[in-house]
């Protein structure tokens, strides 16, 4: 028996911090990296008498995600209290949503290889983040700066079939929430966090196997590694005659293994009930209308459009990896109707411009070269005004100064010489000046052709149209 | 002046007939002299009160316009959070906690010019009907020091009745303003749910809690209610409705007012004959003034007690989860985290609070939710429907506030006996309706009796007008508690 | 209610009860629940639970930051702290 005899079934529960300025239920700020306990208020601290009031922007962001994932949006959803005692949970309960979540039955489009795969989402619900506990010997320290930051929990259906698919799900969700500016989604800062439910079964079986829950997965690579490790562990366990126990396991990235949490800590009964401090959350037509109107073309939709327009899957995936990059590309294509496919533009964009930006540590948003200028440059090369080689010089100048490529070309007299009369005169001069080489070439030394091209380029400071130059040389040299 | 009430004190100060500092000193003097016997106050904020009073006097001297409660000395139930002034909810678990913020009602009272004399006793976390559940002290009924002042706002009612403040604020989750008001012979108003902000009110049962005034007369209660009512952006359950001039409502007539008499409240063996007789006199007085008495049915009344004692403890078990000894409050020594939680909470909470946390935790457990909490909330809807139907026929409902007058300390030995003390007041909270208790006579033993009025949502003006009519007809007049010598 | 049941609930509520308290609680809770038997008999078929006393929609607040409590004030009342961090017995992971 081997891994091929088993079918892994993976479901993900992903927490995404929403990019609001203030917290979910109170007005303290939501920054990362401030001194401990400096971003709290009476509500966040769970002081006696305090009450939650929900942040409208958190709702708007969650609705954007709901609409972008084709979810059903509940006209009336409800906040519930989820009870558990933990030092970083100030009220002894977390405000979450339980049986009436904001969004249900959506889907996330995941780019796997060159195609888009649709993964079902069971629900997306709103909740508040907890603070942080740090373990220091016999005690733990508690910092509540993160407590109360708004989150959405995105729950996938258990239908991811491999560690790779699980990792791609995370990448696609990451791309989507950044695309929509719903979240910074920085995994290192915990803005995007993932728990994975993993089970295995025989191919063709309907029933799901006993699942384990993996917690503490905080990078795309760990999603893959933790899930893969868990699949292998379960297969080994079952094939050795054991059985999988339903439990929560913590992934330890340093060790590359997971360990079960103590069973006593898992025996929780959250005692959910509707939060009496928070009346039903109503999403009306006006709010939904605004969300729908503001929704941009989604990254997977754009990915597929790029494929249809003739871009390679790799280039298309790179472009939709960042909305600003894809938008830059679209803007460049728009002003350059000659290159409908954008294939030339994408080359200039991904090699020249991204190369230069990377070298400078800049983002696409900080590009000194406007999309229209990149487009203009590509056109100058394509219509033969300048050669590709000169194009790179013009690019360097435009990148440095922010100037328009055409103006740079004209100011520096960099236009390609395509006039046959003008080029013919240069060719004649070169032939007249190098009688020995002419003789040798005509005698059969083909390799000397390049010498003549080089001499013409030298005379014209590289501006000679190479095709016409070559044509003229062939004619005048007689071969 | 001590006995003349809030409105009169405010009038005299505004008219320059008295200085706020004199009034404040007079009340502080009485507290110093008498509270040893009464036991109403948990904390007296003498210096802060004097500073506030002097500020009012400076405003008056500068001819600045004075706010409506300028110079009126007020006591706050110790579940109302006060910045810089210890707030304990009468629980050991909050011993020594000095809040960094003010409850909205406290802010509003200060803005209205009221002088905060201090914090008064109550049942721990407002859970009880006699104030015997305070972790700190016993508060006595000024009409008979051997009897309870009622609860949970027993410090608030006793202090008003004994003249140790001009008016006070209490909270009412199942009768905790109306019942002690009745037992101490003062006026108590529980507003419509959402009428007054709950921000800064130590939560007991969030869907039932409301803050309201206890006062010497209906006019004072109206004045204080007007000062504390209104929309609060910090409380998502506070109502966005304009605040009427409640004092103006008192001038109206009760002629033509349709007063409902629910049989379920009167036809009870446990109803004390003196209480029954006082209510009958009250009904007669209203009829004489042209009100129409109409028999009504509230058929689900018998379910109010069980529904209440599932909903309130369930919410309480959740609201009290925050007292964990981590960020504030008392912490017990312990080796492990779980032990720290269990020991801190075990030592910090008193028996009744523990009982309710246990009951609430039981009711919310997975698998029991539908059977208990959800069922109780459904019954609550039935109780609300009863009222909705009744209010098609009547404008206000009149009942006794309590089955009996004040009872002796220790008289209610079992939890159920104590719970039954609130039997007439619970429904009002379950249905979110406004309710008031107004004195309507004394028993043969000279103990006050309260008449309860229940109104339509946001219909406090009608409630207060009916209360004023009762006060005028069968109120206590100049009769004062004789438990305290002076 | 059995003693074991009471113990389990007390643990859920993180409430230490002394043995005599436990005993008494079992009796009292049993009596109270018995007293509430009438509730089970009530016909609530199709009745929506009343989670709020007054029907209303959730009011939202604008996403506006207000100053935080200074860290020393936020931690002032803590029974144990280290600098401006709350300190608790080790959270076992």
């Amino acid at each position: 028996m081997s891994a091929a005899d088993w079918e892994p079934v993976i479901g993900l529960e992903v927490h995404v911090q929403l990019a609001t300025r203030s917290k979910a239920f109170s007005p303290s700020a939501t920054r990362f990296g401030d001194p401990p306990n400096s971003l709290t208020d009476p509500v966040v601290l769970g002081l006696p008498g305090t009450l939650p009031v929900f942040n409208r922007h958190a709702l708007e962001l969650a609705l954007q995600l709901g609409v972008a994932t084709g979810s059903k949006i509940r006209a009336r959803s409800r906040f519930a209290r989820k009870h558990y005692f933990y030092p970083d949970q100030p009220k002894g309960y977390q405000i979450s949503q339980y049986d009436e979540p904001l969004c249900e039955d959506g889907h996330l489009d995941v780019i796997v290889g060159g195609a888009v795969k649709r993964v079902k989402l069971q629900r997306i619900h709103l909740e508040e983040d907890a603070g942080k506990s740090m373990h220091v010997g016999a005690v733990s320290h508690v910092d509540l700066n993160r407590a109360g930051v708004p989150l959405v929990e995105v729950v996938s259906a258990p239908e991811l079939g491999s560690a790779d698919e699980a990792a791609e799900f995370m990448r696609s969700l990451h791309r989507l929430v950044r695309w929509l500016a719903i979240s910074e989604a920085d995994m290192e800062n915990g803005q995007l966090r993932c728990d994975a439910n993993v089970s295995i079964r025989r191919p063709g079986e309907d029933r799901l196997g006993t699942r384990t829950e993996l917690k503490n997965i905080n990078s795309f690579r760990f999603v893959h590694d933790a899930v893969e490790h868990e699949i292998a562990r379960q297969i080994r366990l079952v094939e050795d005659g054991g059985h999988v126990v339903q439990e929560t396991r913590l992934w330890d990235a340093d060790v590359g293994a997971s360990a079960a949490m103590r069973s006593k800590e898992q025996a929780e009964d959250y005692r959910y009930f509707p939060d009496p401090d928070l009346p039903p959350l109503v999403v009306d037509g006006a709010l939904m209308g605004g969300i729908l109107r503001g929704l941009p073309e989604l990254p997977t939709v754009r990915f597929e459009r790029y494929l249809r327009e003739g871009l390679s899957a790799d280039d298309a995936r790179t472009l939709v990896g960042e909305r600003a990059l894809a938008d830059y590309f679209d803007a460049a294509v728009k002003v350059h109707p000659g290159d409908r496919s954008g294939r030339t533009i994408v080359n200039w964009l991904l090699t020249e411009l991204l190369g230069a930006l990377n070298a400078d540590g800049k983002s696409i948003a900080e590009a000194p070269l406007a999309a229209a200028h990149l487009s203009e440059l590509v056109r100058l090369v394509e219509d033969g005004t300048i050669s590709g080689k000169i194009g790179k010089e013009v690019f360097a100048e435009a990148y440095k100064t922010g100037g328009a490529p055409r103006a740079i070309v004209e100011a520096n007299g960099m236009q390609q010489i395509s006039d046959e009369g003008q080029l013919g005169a240069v060719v004649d001069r070169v032939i007249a000046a190098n009688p020995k080489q002419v003789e040798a070439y005509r005698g059969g030394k083909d390799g000397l052709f390049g010498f003549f091209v080089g001499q013409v380029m030298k005379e014209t400071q590289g501006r000679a149209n190479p095709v016409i130059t070559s044509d003229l040389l062939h004619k005048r040299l007689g071969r | 002046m001590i006995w003349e009430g809030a409105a009169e004190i405010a009038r005299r100060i505004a008219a320059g007939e008295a200085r706020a500092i004199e009034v404040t000193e007079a009340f502080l003097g009485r507290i110093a002299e008498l509270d040893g016997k009464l036991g109403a106050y948990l904390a007296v904020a003498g210096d802060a009160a004097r500073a506030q009073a002097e500020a009012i006097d400076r405003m008056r001297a500068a001819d600045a316009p004075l706010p409506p409660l300028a110079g009126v000395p007020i006591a706050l139930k110790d579940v109302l959070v006060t910045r810089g002034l210890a707030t304990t909810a009468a629980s050991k678990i909050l011993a020594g906690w000095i809040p960094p913020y003010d409850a909205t009602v406290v802010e509003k009272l200060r803005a209205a010019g009221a002088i905060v004399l201090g914090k008064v006793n109550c049942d721990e976390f407002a859970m009880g009907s006699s104030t015997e559940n305070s972790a700190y002290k016993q508060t006595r009924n000024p009409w008979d020091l051997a009897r309870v002042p009622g609860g949970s706002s027993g410090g608030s009612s006793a202090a008003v009745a004994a003249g140790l403040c001009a008016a006070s604020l209490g909270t009412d989750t199942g009768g905790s303003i109306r019942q002690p008001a009745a037992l101490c012979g003062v006026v108590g108003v529980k507003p419509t749910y959402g009428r007054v902000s709950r921000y800064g009110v130590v939560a007991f049962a969030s869907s039932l809690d409301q803050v309201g005034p206890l006062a010497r007369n209906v006019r004072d209660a109206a004045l204080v209610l007007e000062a504390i009512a209104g929309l609060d952006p910090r409380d998502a359950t506070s109502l966005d409705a304009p605040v009427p001039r409640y004092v103006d409502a008192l001038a109206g007539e009760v002629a033509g007012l349709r007063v409902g008499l629910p049989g379920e409240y009167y036809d009870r063996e446990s109803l004390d004959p003196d209480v029954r007789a006082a209510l009958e006199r009250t009904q007669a007085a209203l009829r004489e003034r042209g009100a129409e008495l109409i028999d009504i049915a509230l058929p689900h009344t018998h379910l109010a007690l069980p529904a209440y004692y599932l909903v309130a403890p369930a919410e309480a078990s959740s609201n009290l989860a925050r007292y964990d000894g981590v960020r504030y409050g008392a912490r017990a020594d312990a080796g492990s985290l779980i032990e720290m939680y269990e020991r801190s909470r075990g030592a910090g909470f008193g028996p009744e609070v523990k009982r309710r946390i246990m009951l609430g935790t039981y009711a919310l457990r997975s698998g029991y939710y539908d059977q208990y909490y959800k069922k109780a909330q459904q019954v609550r809807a039935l109780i609300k429907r009863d009222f909705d139907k009744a209010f098609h026929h009547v404008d206000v409902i009149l009942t006794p506030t309590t089955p009996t007058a004040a009872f002796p300390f220790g008289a209610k030995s079992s939890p159920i006996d104590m719970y039954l003390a609130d039997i007439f007041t619970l429904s009002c909270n379950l249905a979110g309706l406004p309710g008031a208790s107004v004195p309507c006579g004394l028993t043969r033993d000279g103990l006050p009796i309260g008449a309860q009025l229940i109104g339509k949502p946001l219909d406090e003006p009608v409630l207060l007008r009916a209360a004023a009519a009762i006060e005028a007809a069968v109120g206590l007049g100049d009769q004062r508690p004789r438990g305290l010598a002076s | 209610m059995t003693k074991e049941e009471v113990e389990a609930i007390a643990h859920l509520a993180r409430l230490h009860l002394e043995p005599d308290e436990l005993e008494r609680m079992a009796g009292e809770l049993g009596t109270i629940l018995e007293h509430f038997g009438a509730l089970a008999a009530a016909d609530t078929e199709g009745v929506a639970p009343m989670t709020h006393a007054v029907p209303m929609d959730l009011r939202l607040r604008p996403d506006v930051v207000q100053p935080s409590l200074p860290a020393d004030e936020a931690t002032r009342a803590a029974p144990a702290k280290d600098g401006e961090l709350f300190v608790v017995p080790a959270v076992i992971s």
Side-chain angles (χ1 to χ4, degrees):
Chain A
M1 300 259 268
S2 71
D5 299 317
W6 295 97
E7 179 185 271
V9 179
I10 303 146
L12 297 182
E13 292 171 14
V14 188
H15 288 93
V16 185
Q17 280 189 357
L18 298 174
T20 55
R21 291 186 186 89
S22 65
K23 291 192 171 161
F25 295 104
S26 64
S28 53
T30 55
R31 288 190 301 269
F32 181 83
D34 279 42
N37 290 311
S38 64
L39 298 179
T40 74
D41 54 45
V43 179
V44 166
L45 291 169
L47 296 188
T50 54
L51 296 172
V53 183
F54 191 52
N55 186 331
R56 174 185 298 277
H57 193 46
L59 173 62
E60 289 165 348
L61 295 176
L63 284 173
Q64 283 177 32
L65 185 59
V67 169
T69 53
S71 301
K72 283 187 220 150
I73 312 286
R74 245 177 220 273
R76 291 167 77 81
S77 69
R78 205 181 277 279
F79 285 109
R81 295 182 180 180
K82 176 184 181 179
H83 299 86
Y84 61 93
F85 287 90
Y86 208 75
D88 58 25
Q89 184 59 263
K91 298 183 295 299
Y93 61 83
Q94 176 191 32
I95 302 177
S96 180
Q97 295 191 299
Y98 182 52
D99 53 358
E100 297 169 77
L102 184 67
C103 311
E104 286 164 293
D105 301 331
H107 51 77
L108 182 70
D109 288 337
V110 178
I111 299 176
V112 184
V116 171
K117 176 184 164 153
R118 185 156 277 197
V119 179
K120 274 193 213 127
L121 301 182
Q122 289 177 342
R123 57 191 278 154
I124 301 172
H125 72 246
L126 286 158
E127 59 186 29
E128 57 177 346
D129 211 342
K132 279 184 188 162
S133 309
M134 293 143 287
H135 316 304
V136 191
V139 298
S140 293
H141 289 166
V142 181
D143 172 11
L144 296 177
N145 282 354
R146 199 181 70 181
V149 170
L151 297 174
V152 283
E153 181 175 328
V154 180
V155 182
S156 86
E159 58 179 39
L160 296 161
S162 69
D164 283 330
E165 279 191 17
E168 283 304 329
F169 181 93
M170 282 298 282
R171 283 199 189 90
S172 294
L173 184 58
H174 178 259
R175 182 192 303 120
L176 179 62
V177 297
R178 286 182 55 87
W179 188 273
L180 297 171
I182 287 170
S183 175
E184 302 272 321
D186 185 335
M187 283 192 91
E188 266 179 45
N189 291 348
Q191 290 167 330
L192 185 70
R193 309 196 291 274
C194 167
D195 299 339
N197 293 310
V198 179
S199 65
I200 55 167
R201 66 180 169 191
R202 297 289 183 188
E205 248 178 61
D206 285 341
R207 233 168 50 104
L208 291 173
T210 305
R211 66 188 169 89
T212 56
E213 189 183 10
L214 294 168
K215 283 191 176 288
N216 199 29
I217 307 176
N218 53 16
S219 83
F220 295 120
R221 193 167 68 80
F222 297 164
V223 175
H224 175 273
D225 293 356
V227 169
E228 185 155 87
H229 179 273
E230 181 59 17
I231 293 167
R233 190 190 70 85
Q234 290 188 10
I235 291 174
R236 212 165 44 240
L237 192 67
V238 175
E239 292 194 344
D240 288 351
H243 61 276
V244 177
V245 184
Q246 184 163 351
E247 62 188 358
T248 302
R249 302 180 66 86
L250 280 185
W251 174 249
D252 186 334
D254 293 336
V255 182
S258 64
M261 284 171 72
R262 295 195 324 171
S263 61
K264 193 179 176 186
E265 287 165 25
Q266 303 170 36
E268 276 297 349
D269 178 342
Y270 293 125
R271 287 161 285 139
Y272 282 101
F273 79 108
D275 193 325
D277 290 331
L278 295 160
L281 178 57
V282 174
V283 177
D284 60 21
L287 181 55
M288 275 308 287
I291 300 293
L292 287 167
R293 278 193 300 279
L295 199 73
E297 184 185 30
L298 299 177
T300 43
V301 173
R302 203 176 290 191
F303 173 78
E304 288 180 315
R305 171 160 70 78
Y306 288 159
L307 293 187
R308 281 197 306 277
E309 289 171 0
L311 295 191
S312 73
D314 280 349
D315 285 351
R317 192 185 308 106
T318 306
L319 286 177
V320 300
E322 196 184 345
R323 180 155 165 206
L325 183 63
D327 285 350
Y328 187 101
F329 171 74
D330 280 3
V333 170
K334 202 172 164 189
V335 293
H336 186 31
D339 182 13
R340 292 296 297 269
S341 75
R343 284 181 113 147
T344 323
I345 288 176
V346 85
N347 287 337
W348 280 89
L349 173 57
L350 298 185
T351 51
E352 298 305 321
L353 182 56
L354 281 195
L357 289 170
N358 284 343
D360 289 353
K362 283 183 175 166
S363 73
I364 186 74
E366 299 165 298
L369 185 68
H373 285 167
L374 184 73
S375 183
E376 188 176 294
L377 174 61
V378 171
R379 196 184 319 193
L380 288 170
V381 174
E382 283 196 335
D383 68 12
T385 307
I386 55 174
S387 66
K389 188 161 165 286
I390 294 288
K392 293 190 181 180
E393 288 173 31
V394 175
F395 172 84
E397 184 64 13
Y399 184 88
K400 202 168 79 188
T401 63
R406 186 174 296 280
I408 292 169
V409 166
E410 280 167 7
N412 296 291
M414 293 162 115
Q415 296 94 327
Q416 187 160 264
I417 303 167
S418 299
D419 181 84
E420 287 202 21
Q422 199 182 343
L423 271 185
V426 178
V427 167
D428 289 345
R429 273 204 306 280
V430 166
I431 288 172
N434 298 284
K436 280 185 192 162
Q437 284 82 350
V438 172
E439 199 173 326
Y441 177 76
R442 285 181 175 149
K445 263 193 122 178
D446 287 358
L448 279 170
F449 191 77
F451 164 79
F452 296 110
V453 174
Q455 289 301 304
V456 173
M457 288 295 170
K458 197 174 165 191
E459 289 261 322
T460 60
Q461 292 91 43
R463 291 162 55 212
N465 181 317
V467 177
I468 298 170
T469 300
S470 170
D471 194 40
L472 285 172
L473 278 169
H474 279 299
K475 279 186 193 153
R476 306 275 162 107
L477 290 168
R479 279 183 65 188
Chain B
M1 187 166 54
I2 292 291
W3 304 105
E4 284 169 3
E8 177 61 13
I9 288 172
R11 190 199 65 75
R12 285 204 194 182
I13 290 172
E17 295 169 22
R19 287 193 303 139
I21 188 67
E22 292 165 4
V23 176
T24 295
E25 290 293 2
F27 278 99
L28 288 173
R30 276 183 70 81
I31 293 169
E33 183 193 344
L34 299 172
D35 198 48
K37 274 195 241 173
L38 191 69
Y41 280 83
L42 291 174
V44 178
D47 291 343
R50 287 184 187 95
Q52 262 188 293
E54 279 161 358
I56 296 288
D57 288 334
R58 280 195 298 277
M59 282 172 76
R60 176 72 182 73
D63 275 334
L66 291 184
L69 292 174
V72 176
I74 280 187
L76 302 172
K77 184 178 184 179
D78 206 26
V79 295
L80 301 174
V81 171
T82 43
R83 186 186 181 99
L85 179 59
T87 301
T88 66
S91 179
K92 275 193 275 184
I93 209 156
L94 273 178
W97 181 54
I98 310 287
Y101 79 102
D102 266 333
T104 297
V105 289
V106 176
E107 277 183 358
K108 281 179 169 260
L109 274 186
R110 290 192 204 279
I115 311 294
V116 175
L117 290 175
K119 307 297 286 289
V120 285
N121 202 19
C122 55
D123 287 298
E124 183 178 5
F125 284 103
M127 296 177 192
S129 309
S130 66
T131 311
E132 290 167 289
N133 294 333
S134 168
Y136 294 103
K137 55 160 66 166
Q138 196 173 52
T139 300
R140 296 165 183 278
N141 190 316
W143 293 81
D144 178 349
L145 297 182
R147 290 174 188 266
V148 303
S152 67
S153 307
S156 304
S157 62
V160 172
L164 301 195
C165 60
S168 65
L169 291 189
T171 60
D172 191 317
T173 306
S176 279
I177 288 174
R178 290 158 289 156
Q179 188 259 15
L183 268 46
C184 287
V186 301
V187 175
V189 179
K190 182 208 92 82
T192 306
Y193 183 85
R195 174 76 289 187
V196 177
S197 167
R198 293 185 297 115
Y199 189 78
V201 181
V202 175
F204 161 14
S206 312
S207 75
L208 303 165
D209 295 342
Q210 267 294 287
V211 184
L214 292 96
R216 302 202 58 75
N217 56 56
V218 176
R219 172 169 296 273
D220 287 2
L223 198 62
V224 175
L225 178 59
E226 201 173 306
I228 61 172
L231 174 69
D232 181 3
R234 289 175 296 191
D235 175 0
T237 63
S238 84
L239 295 172
D240 188 3
V243 179
R245 296 262 308 165
Y246 292 121
V247 176
D248 292 351
L250 306 182
E253 292 285 313
V254 293
L257 193 72
R258 298 169 302 164
V259 178
L261 306 174
E264 292 80 2
Y265 286 65
Y266 290 95
D267 305 334
R268 298 186 75 94
E269 279 181 30
S270 60
L271 188 61
D272 181 272
D274 286 1
V275 175
R276 185 185 299 278
L279 263 294
E280 280 164 4
R281 284 195 299 276
T282 306
Q283 291 166 15
L286 287 172
R287 193 187 297 114
E288 273 168 36
R289 282 161 179 75
E292 189 186 347
L293 302 181
I294 300 170
D295 287 329
I296 57 165
L298 298 170
H300 293 95
T301 298
H302 67 290
L303 295 175
L305 186 79
Y308 177 86
Y309 277 98
L310 287 170
V311 172
E315 294 182 8
S317 72
S318 171
N319 286 329
L320 271 58
R322 69 187 59 198
Y323 304 101
D324 58 6
V326 175
R327 299 162 316 285
Y328 50 82
R331 176 189 295 191
D333 282 338
S336 74
L337 182 66
I338 287 197
E339 204 188 330
M340 184 206 88
Y341 285 139
E342 294 186 341
R343 298 261 168 200
S344 299
R345 291 165 59 79
F349 293 132
E352 181 60 26
V353 173
K354 285 186 198 171
R355 200 175 291 125
R356 296 202 195 185
I357 290 175
M358 292 290 289
L359 197 53
T361 305
Y362 179 86
L364 289 178
R365 273 183 317 163
S366 163
Y368 292 78
Y369 174 83
D370 284 0
Q371 184 185 342
Y372 290 114
Y373 187 74
K374 188 176 164 202
K375 182 84 180 179
Q377 295 285 50
Q378 288 174 310
V379 165
R380 201 175 162 184
L382 295 177
I383 289 168
K384 173 75 162 62
R385 265 185 221 175
D386 284 355
F387 280 108
D388 290 345
K389 276 186 208 157
F391 281 124
H392 285 306
H393 311 291
V394 301
D395 302 308
V396 69
I397 293 169
L398 173 68
T399 78
T401 308
T402 57
T404 68
F407 44 89
F409 289 100
K412 312 276 185 193
S413 51
S414 84
I416 290 279
D417 285 348
M418 189 64 90
Y419 298 169
L420 286 165
D422 291 336
I423 190 82
F424 295 150
T425 49
L426 302 171
S427 295
C428 195
N429 301 76
L430 290 170
L433 302 171
S437 180
V438 57
C440 64
L442 299 175
T443 64
R444 277 164 290 187
D445 298 334
L447 296 171
I449 297 165
Q452 175 176 239
L453 291 159
I454 300 171
K456 297 177 196 173
L458 292 177
D459 213 9
E460 282 85 357
V462 167
L463 198 74
L464 291 165
R465 197 202 314 162
I470 292 171
E471 179 177 63
V474 294
L476 301 183
D478 288 336
Q479 299 176 90
R480 284 187 205 140
R482 53 201 183 305
L484 296 171
S486 39
Chain C
M1 203 182 282
T2 66
K3 223 182 87 183
E4 288 68 34
E5 218 175 345
V6 174
E7 266 176 340
I9 297 163
H11 178 69
L12 253 187
R14 298 291 186 271
L15 211 50
H16 173 79
L17 298 177
E18 297 295 337
D20 61 316
E21 274 185 298
L22 205 70
E23 203 78 42
R24 202 169 53 239
M25 197 70 84
E28 285 170 350
L29 294 184
T31 310
I32 292 169
L33 289 169
E34 215 173 292
H35 218 84
F36 295 170
L39 206 60
D43 180 8
T44 53
E45 187 71 34
V47 178
M50 185 172 155
T51 45
H52 295 276
V54 175
M56 61 189 299
D57 297 347
L58 187 63
R59 200 167 40 239
L60 303 169
R61 47 171 271 270
D63 184 22
V64 174
V65 173
Q66 281 171 26
S68 299
L69 280 176
D72 61 335
E73 203 168 329
T75 56
R76 181 163 297 152
K81 55 181 170 171
D82 184 342
E84 271 143 17
L85 286 156
F86 299 103
V87 176
V88 295
V91 174
I92 303 150
S93 59

